Amino acid sequence: MTDTACPACGTAMHTEQLHDVTVDRCPACRMVWFDRTELAAVVAHEVPGASVGWGQREPAEGRGMLACPRDGTMTLAPYRLGPAHFHRCSSCRGIAIADGELALLLESVASADFGLGRVIAELFSK
C-alpha cells in the first residue's frame, strides 16, 4: 500500500516493519494503518498471549470520520479502547491510529488493569 494517502493528513504513507508485520506509516504525522488482522499480530508480539477487543465506537462529532486508505470512502469511525483513541473502518475493518495512541494502547494491554488473554471478539464480527 505504498503511497496511499494518510487518513489524517493526506501525506503519502510508506510501508515499514513493526515486529514481523508490514504496516503503513505516515512520515508527516506518524499515523499508522493496520489492515484487518495486523494490529492483533502486533499486540500478540508485544504482550505474548494477549489480545484485545475493539473498544467502543465514539460519536463522530467529537473526532470525526476519516477516509479509508483502501478506497478513500469516509468509513473510518472514531473508537476508544481504554485510554487509547483510534479510527476503525466499517468496511475493511482496518485501523488508523496515531503513533502516541498506539503506544498507549500497547501499554494498556500489558497492564494488569486491562487484563491479558482477552479475546479479539469484535475483529471478525459486525
Side-chain angles (χ1 to χ4, degrees):
M1 193 183 337
T2 303
D3 295 332
T4 298
C6 172
C9 72
T11 302
M13 298 180 85
H14 302 284
T15 58
E16 68 176 51
Q17 289 297 120
L18 187 57
H19 304 298
D20 292 334
V21 179
T22 301
V23 299
D24 300 283
R25 184 182 301 267
C26 176
C29 72
R30 307 295 294 155
M31 176 72 70
V32 182
W33 172 256
F34 292 94
D35 288 325
R36 186 175 184 166
T37 59
E38 292 173 343
L39 181 56
V42 170
V43 167
H45 185 276
E46 287 281 327
V47 185
S51 57
V52 295
W54 288 119
Q56 299 282 31
R57 185 170 175 170
E58 296 186 310
E61 308 85 57
R63 292 185 300 121
M65 300 289 282
L66 297 176
C68 178
R70 284 274 173 227
D71 62 13
T73 58
M74 298 298 284
T75 53
L76 291 178
Y79 275 75
R80 180 174 164 224
L81 181 60
H85 297 273
F86 57 93
H87 282 78
R88 179 178 178 211
C89 181
S90 60
S91 180
C92 73
R93 303 288 188 235
I95 301 289
I97 187 167
D99 202 36
E101 296 291 325
L102 176 59
L104 191 58
L105 176 66
L106 294 173
E107 288 171 16
S108 297
V109 171
S111 75
D113 294 336
F114 204 83
L116 296 178
R118 292 187 57 181
V119 178
I120 305 176
E122 296 179 34
L123 181 60
F124 298 106
S125 67
K126 298 180 185 176

